Amino acid sequence: MQMRQFSIVLMLGSLPAWSTAWAGQTCDKSFPMSAPVERFTDNGDGTLYDIEPDLTWMRCSLGQVWTGKTCTGTPVAYTWQSAQDAADKLNREGGYANRHDWRVPKIAELASIAERQCFNPRINLTLFPATPPVYFWTITMRPGSFPDDPNAYAISFGTEGPKHISKEEKLDVRLVSGGVPKKNDYLGNGGS
């Protein structure tokens, strides 16, 4: 079987610091897409509605700005708790795109937007442009550890995948709306 690959190389005038770690995305089209464009509805306001899990995603990482075509600026890195605090503050101060229920996603939710056909970053850049290939926080912790576990799960959109990381580390964040989590969703049950 012959593998067909293509690369998307981003050419930007002012590149953020993380851009030096990758020259472009590589996708292997011999595999079916795990997060195809057809699964999402563009709400026209910097958000996407994901039909399968009934969730709305911010197209940009926190700290970036949606221009109507892409995400600009540099993502802001947060500790696990400060990521949740940033979501709460956003909701209290008027929300985003007429929604006031933004939150840090569960591990299964964040994994659902990873594009297994591509890497560097492992995400559909048509849907989520300018996503760096780094770790992003989830609210999920190991079963039986809530609330005292000093670690929580994060997912990398680089090559690493999921990892149990100290909550004091500063990582990027992409917020989701809908599918309100229950207490058990903080645990490693995937929250489905």
Side-chain angles (χ1 to χ4, degrees):
M1 176 187 302
Q2 181 181 15
M3 281 197 339
R4 293 171 288 160
Q5 293 186 334
F6 68 96
S7 294
I8 300 170
V9 179
L10 299 176
M11 302 296 283
L12 303 172
S14 175
L15 296 173
W18 53 260
S19 66
T20 58
W22 57 287
Q25 184 183 59
T26 301
C27 298
D28 182 348
K29 294 181 93 173
S30 66
F31 296 105
M33 292 192 80
S34 57
V37 171
E38 298 78 27
R39 194 179 93 196
F40 297 83
T41 300
D42 184 355
N43 296 323
D45 57 5
T47 67
L48 296 170
Y49 174 67
D50 191 347
I51 297 163
E52 287 183 17
D54 190 28
L55 297 171
T56 299
W57 291 95
M58 285 187 177
R59 296 188 78 170
C60 302
S61 306
L62 282 184
Q64 292 179 311
V65 176
W66 178 250
T67 67
K69 293 184 181 184
T70 192
C71 299
T72 61
T74 303
V76 174
Y78 295 87
T79 65
W80 185 80
Q81 185 59 55
S82 67
Q84 293 177 74
D85 295 343
D88 290 343
K89 181 179 179 187
L90 175 72
N91 292 327
R92 279 192 320 273
E93 293 181 354
Y96 179 78
N98 294 317
R99 298 188 71 101
H100 302 89
D101 64 341
W102 295 103
R103 60 184 175 78
V104 177
K106 302 176 242 179
I107 192 169
E109 292 168 339
L110 192 59
S112 77
I113 65 169
E115 179 51 64
R116 290 180 291 276
Q117 187 185 76
C118 302
F119 66 94
N120 204 24
R122 189 174 299 279
I123 198 163
N124 187 327
L125 288 175
T126 300
L127 299 169
F128 302 100
T131 298
V134 298
Y135 279 102
F136 281 71
W137 278 122
T138 76
I139 63 166
T140 308
M141 291 181 281
R142 288 191 174 150
S145 66
F146 184 79
D148 299 323
D149 193 339
N151 300 312
Y153 284 101
I155 292 181
S156 172
F157 288 105
T159 58
E160 298 87 358
K163 185 176 181 182
H164 203 229
I165 296 178
S166 167
K167 291 178 185 176
E168 298 307 312
E169 292 286 328
K170 289 191 173 186
L171 306 177
D172 287 3
V173 179
R174 172 167 280 114
L175 297 180
V176 68
S177 175
V180 179
K182 302 175 277 300
K183 179 180 177 183
N184 285 344
D185 294 334
Y186 286 87
L187 309 178
N189 65 2
S192 41

